[in-house]
Amino acid sequence: MRGMAGWGGFFFSVLNYKTEKYVIAENKRIGVLFRLYQLAVLGYIIGWVFVVKKGYQEREEVLQTSVITKLKGVTLINSSEIGLHLWSAEDYVIPPNGEQVFFIVTNYIETPNQRLGFCAESSKVPNGQCLSDDDCVEGETVIAGNGIKTGSCLNSTGTCEIHAWCPVEYSKRPTEPLLSEAENFTVYIKNFIRFPKFEFSKSNVLDTSDGSYLKRCSYDRERHPYCPIFRVGDLVSWAGHDFQEMAVKGGSIGIHIQWKCDLDKDYSQCNPQYSFTRLDMNLNNSVTSGYNFRYARYYKDQNGETYRTLYKVYGIRFDIMINGQAGKFNIVPTVIAIGSGVALLGAGAFACDMILLYMMNTSSLYRERKFEIINFRFD
Amino acid sequence: MRGMAGWGGFFFSVLNYKTEKYVIAENKRIGVLFRLYQLAVLGYIIGWVFVVKKGYQEREEVLQTSVITKLKGVTLINSSEIGLHLWSAEDYVIPPNGEQVFFIVTNYIETPNQRLGFCAESSKVPNGQCLSDDDCVEGETVIAGNGIKTGSCLNSTGTCEIHAWCPVEYSKRPTEPLLSEAENFTVYIKNFIRFPKFEFSKSNVLDTSDGSYLKRCSYDRERHPYCPIFRVGDLVSWAGHDFQEMAVKGGSIGIHIQWKCDLDKDYSQCNPQYSFTRLDMNLNNSVTSGYNFRYARYYKDQNGETYRTLYKVYGIRFDIMINGQAGKFNIVPTVIAIGSGVALLGAGAFACDMILLYMMNTSSLYRERKFEIINFRFD
Amino acid sequence: MRGMAGWGGFFFSVLNYKTEKYVIAENKRIGVLFRLYQLAVLGYIIGWVFVVKKGYQEREEVLQTSVITKLKGVTLINSSEIGLHLWSAEDYVIPPNGEQVFFIVTNYIETPNQRLGFCAESSKVPNGQCLSDDDCVEGETVIAGNGIKTGSCLNSTGTCEIHAWCPVEYSKRPTEPLLSEAENFTVYIKNFIRFPKFEFSKSNVLDTSDGSYLKRCSYDRERHPYCPIFRVGDLVSWAGHDFQEMAVKGGSIGIHIQWKCDLDKDYSQCNPQYSFTRLDMNLNNSVTSGYNFRYARYYKDQNGETYRTLYKVYGIRFDIMINGQAGKFNIVPTVIAIGSGVALLGAGAFACDMILLYMMNTSSLYRERKFEIINFRFD
């Protein structure tokens, strides 16, 4: 068969098994070193890539998600200033339609019977303060203020007269949260998720035929992980804060729902994990903490004139953030994980060769035996 | 050149082509086995990784997306109980501002002229039922109820008297959806997507200069895939449910828009695919199905006293969920896919060697020829 | 040691270092070719995969994000048609509660004192036009119209009489934006992000103890990258459009915040990057541009009859879209990147072998020396 050429021979020889010829270097140090390296690579592939990182799985980290929320609870406020108010879910949840991001009023400033007219700017607005009429240029907007300057400075308050909804907002925030009982409101959070790549979907609500379960249960990490009903006060305390303290100025709480699913295991092994953080505080300080906004209710009197009640509401905003990862066995990542490990073995052999070839006193012998020279010039 | 050492020789020899010396084992069985293995690996790399999975592409699964929705349609309700009502988009779409998650009212309970006062709790609230005044502790909130207990039990209804918006909600849901004609409303869904990594963006609206096209077209998978106008009834039926049935208690429909884009192909090959699922039902039962919430409209009478109309609205919530994947040729995943496949070929050679070396009766001959021993001890 | 078999010998020989026997082909052309190929692969691995693409990093592209927005500014409208109106944030921001997607009114049509009744359909609705009563089938809804046909055609307007909120909307949009001063409103955007895999979180607001900084600063890419306060007019102009032009019909602006974070570097190196695009325009035309919706405010008169004011608001919708990528050193992608590169080196050797074996006139010599034949048949 030697010297055989041409396609026939090529085809015939193709069916022979060709394998690298090896040279055995009876050097135990290098041998042990190389075996240890092989063991390390093997340990890495099996232990780290396959067992810990599940490298044989295709990953999906993008998921489709839908959240429905509903609040329950009612509280009666009887303050000397404002009078009697009953707050129920249709009032204190904004927006009312059960979205993923919702806000619960815990404190508020009510300014009733505002009408369009002329009055003094609040003394709390820096740009509205004045010493003379020259400080109040007519037609100019008060920066971060409530209206448009009319051009005159009012001595009584030391602020510009403005064209605005009058009287301007009564700007003292109650030091105690008016809706302190909001702590006991309950929130129902239904989360549906779907991993589109694997066509896997699940919900965080117990799939029970017992209709009353969801009416009386309460979330508990151990006993009721599939009861999605939370007490508002608990949500805040799990985020590491005190509800009554937070309720005064408001704030923002992140409810993280994490779905880490190994789809090679059973459906029941894919469970939601909840965690809670406060979002409106930076690490070092609380300058930017708090959460509030204003809304108005408009009325018309008998003459068709518009007046309104302005609410500045402080409260807790809940952001429900879903993230998830699903993994399922797939041949491509498996091959990539194994293949790249095998290739690394080759890199180790290369390193050992370098040591033997250039860094030992037996190098020349080794080189002689490892390499055979074909000198084409004498061909 | 033999025995040549030192850097000069090293540099010179570097330009020689070194290649593994092969041993040809004329064993057809192993040869065929190895060739088959090589073919399988090659087939896997070309067929599966490159053709099916497009392993030569860099993937992006995170996309920026923006959705604008708008509903059209109007319906007149003339029921003996409620009187005449006209519902147009500004009323039945909540919130009205064209968001990604929107709600269409299909049924409702209206409780007009509620005023703050004292009345009997609804007999439907378990915690509000009582036998004597002792069951109604003063100042306690009725759990899942409408107000605060005053301390007295009303014999007429068998429920506690409460401080609430009175009268309490008339709690019988109409058995026929009041807005049954909502089936014919149309919804316009504009979806803009962008893959930030590839700087590719597209929209699901036909890029036409014919202004009237979007006024008269209707979505059709085959003929009008780029007309984003859907009939509400179709959306529900595509999700496998009956609109009239679902409209009674409400529900939640997921509208999935999937963008699977091969950016190595033409711009026109990247098209949205719509699919529709119902989100408020678990697999086994319908305990948690339905969707409703309450909102109130506040009025003031001539004396400045507040009264309100409470609406409990049932309806269909639409969650538009966008997901997408884009792939584009990139050298890194290509190299990883090829490289790991090549490495696997080596693993096959290793397995064949093991068979030849240790599991055949010709093993000792093979071993003798495959391995050459350098014995440094006799150096 | 030759011919040694059995497990003892196997174990002993295992500690020997086995290495491929190489054949050196003194062919400088192939040698140089192969070295160049090796250099290219090495350059690719080091230069492209490691330096440019940071292939040694594990990537996370899914992030948890929370956005809080707040608008400031007030404007007074004094038009002859509508009279005096003061628009402040509680009116022109919809929804008012500081969400990720918000809308600012820049122009509007107000239709006050609508009552349920009978009137002529607007002549702008094609389906409402008629020549005789036959065109107005009783009980039919006007497609894309305002009400339900009563069956009679009104000669005065040439449109059907409808049962609707009357009078129907006054349908001429002001040609100048009524809230042209909205250009100077400011928007505060607080964005909190978290990469769940790396447990890294950051916010786009300067972490300062100087409380007044956030009251007076203004975003500037160079000087104040951590001041999240933007002028509305700037947002529009950065997206390449003119505010006054866009304010007439409305539109949609995407505010992209991108977090590209190399977590192997310092915390301060992970910064938000803002970019702005217009979302409501397709490439070729502006047929689908504009953004508007309607909402109504309901009132009751002394007799308890409901009337309403309908607003059709045009304005700019801002979609804040967050995306981010974080990378951190991880051993798995590093091994995959190196391993697949090493495997590629082997593929190059294979190609060079093919050239030497089959495409040169010295091929038969080369083949003789490269391959050693073990003929089991003569064993």
Side-chain angles (χ1 to χ4, degrees), chain A residues 4 21 23 25-26 28 35 163 256 285 291-292 298 308 317 343 349 353 366 370 372 374-375 377, chain C residues 1 14 16-17 19-24 26 64 67 70 84 90-91 97-98 207-208 339 367 372:
Chain A
M4 191 177 67
K21 177 151 188 163
V23 169
E26 293 195 321
K28 287 283 177 291
R35 290 295 168 198
H163 195 159
H256 307 274
N285 64 83
Y291 192 75
N292 64 72
Y298 287 82
R308 71 176 195 179
R317 175 175 136 144
D353 272 1
Y366 179 70
K370 185 174 168 76
E372 223 177 281
I374 312 172
N375 195 328
R377 282 169 297 190
Chain C
M1 199 169 286
V14 144
N16 286 327
Y17 176 61
T19 180
E20 289 98 345
K21 177 152 188 163
Y22 275 81
V23 168
I24 297 180
E26 292 196 323
Q64 292 181 326
V67 173
K70 191 163 194 174
L84 215 60
E90 56 271 22
D91 302 315
N97 56 330
D207 199 0
T208 175
R367 214 178 300 132
E372 225 177 279

Side-chain angles (χ1 to χ4, degrees), chain B residues 152-168:
Chain B
S152 62
C153 179
L154 299 175
N155 290 329
S156 55
T157 57
T159 56
C160 296
E161 191 191 48
I162 53 170
H163 194 158
W165 287 95
C166 290
V168 295

Side-chain angles (χ1 to χ4, degrees), chain A residues 1 14 16-17 19-24 26 64 67 70 90-91 97-98 207-208 339 365 367 372, chain B residues 4 21 23 25-26 28 35 256 285 291-292 298 308 317 323 343 349 353 366 370 372 374-375 377:
Chain A
M1 199 168 286
V14 146
N16 286 327
Y17 175 62
T19 180
E20 290 98 344
K21 177 151 188 163
Y22 276 81
V23 169
I24 296 180
E26 293 195 321
Q64 293 181 327
V67 172
K70 191 163 193 175
E90 56 270 22
D91 302 315
N97 56 328
D207 199 359
T208 176
L365 170 68
R367 213 177 299 131
E372 223 177 281
Chain B
M4 192 176 66
K21 177 152 187 163
V23 169
E26 291 195 324
K28 287 283 178 291
R35 289 294 167 201
H256 307 273
N285 65 84
Y291 193 75
N292 63 73
Y298 288 83
R308 70 176 196 179
R317 176 175 135 143
N323 76 304
D353 272 2
Y366 180 70
K370 185 174 168 77
E372 225 178 279
I374 312 173
N375 194 329
R377 280 170 299 191

Side-chain angles (χ1 to χ4, degrees), chain A residues 64 194, chain B residues 67-68 187-192 203-206 218-222 224-230 235 238-239 254-260 271-277 319-323:
Chain A
Q64 293 181 327
R194 183 167 169 260
Chain B
V67 173
I68 295 173
V187 52
Y188 167 83
I189 298 171
K190 176 162 185 180
N191 175 217
F192 167 90
S203 146
N204 71 333
V205 180
L206 190 71
S218 174
Y219 174 75
D220 185 292
R221 188 187 289 263
E222 302 300 327
H224 298 291
Y226 275 90
C227 170
I229 295 171
F230 303 86
L235 292 177
W238 289 334
I255 301 174
H256 307 273
I257 308 181
Q258 190 168 40
W259 295 84
K260 269 195 183 168
N271 295 321
Q273 281 182 308
Y274 298 87
S275 61
F276 308 89
T277 50
D319 271 54
I320 300 169
M321 304 179 198
I322 321 292
N323 76 304

Side-chain angles (χ1 to χ4, degrees), chain B residues 51-230:
Chain B
V51 176
V52 179
K53 289 279 170 179
K54 296 194 174 132
Y56 55 86
Q57 289 188 332
E58 189 183 13
R59 288 293 166 85
E60 161 126 78
E61 299 198 349
V62 181
L63 74 173
Q64 293 181 326
T65 177
S66 157
V67 173
I68 295 173
T69 55
K70 191 164 193 173
L71 274 115
K72 285 216 166 142
V74 62
T75 183
L76 189 72
I77 296 167
N78 195 348
S79 88
S80 55
E81 283 174 37
I82 315 173
L84 216 61
H85 262 271
L86 189 89
W87 287 78
S88 44
E90 56 272 22
D91 301 316
Y92 65 72
V93 184
I94 298 168
N97 56 328
E99 298 207 357
Q100 187 161 357
V101 175
F102 60 95
F103 172 87
I104 299 176
V105 178
T106 57
N107 205 0
Y108 64 96
I109 301 167
E110 183 178 349
T111 314
N113 295 317
Q114 285 190 323
R115 281 167 193 265
L116 267 186
F118 300 93
C119 51
E121 176 59 279
S122 161
S123 58
K124 281 194 133 186
V125 180
N127 189 251
Q129 289 162 352
C130 62
L131 294 171
S132 71
D133 287 359
D134 298 344
D135 297 335
C136 304
V137 182
E138 195 186 336
E140 206 178 57
T141 308
V142 184
I143 295 165
N146 298 298
I148 313 290
K149 294 174 186 173
T150 60
S152 62
C153 179
L154 299 175
N155 290 329
S156 55
T157 57
T159 56
C160 296
E161 191 191 48
I162 53 170
H163 194 158
W165 287 95
C166 290
V168 295
E169 189 178 81
Y170 173 74
S171 58
K172 215 171 132 212
R173 189 185 60 233
T175 49
E176 292 293 313
L178 290 168
L179 279 85
S180 60
E181 278 184 46
E183 194 167 1
N184 296 316
F185 294 165
T186 57
V187 52
Y188 167 83
I189 298 171
K190 176 162 185 180
N191 175 217
F192 167 90
I193 58 139
R194 182 167 171 260
F195 289 101
K197 202 191 275 172
F198 302 124
E199 301 198 345
F200 176 91
S201 57
K202 203 167 182 181
S203 146
N204 71 333
V205 180
L206 190 71
D207 199 0
T208 176
S209 55
D210 174 8
S212 67
Y213 175 74
L214 290 174
K215 289 199 173 153
R216 48 181 175 71
C217 75
S218 174
Y219 174 75
D220 185 292
R221 188 187 289 263
E222 302 300 327
R223 278 171 300 163
H224 298 291
Y226 275 90
C227 170
I229 295 171
F230 303 86

Side-chain angles (χ1 to χ4, degrees), chain A residues 62 89 100 190 250 254 256 263 300 322 339 352 354 356-357 376:
Chain A
V62 181
Q100 187 163 357
K190 176 162 186 181
H256 307 274
L263 302 185
K300 283 199 178 178
I322 321 292
C352 289
M354 286 296 113
L356 280 171
L357 284 170
F376 291 106

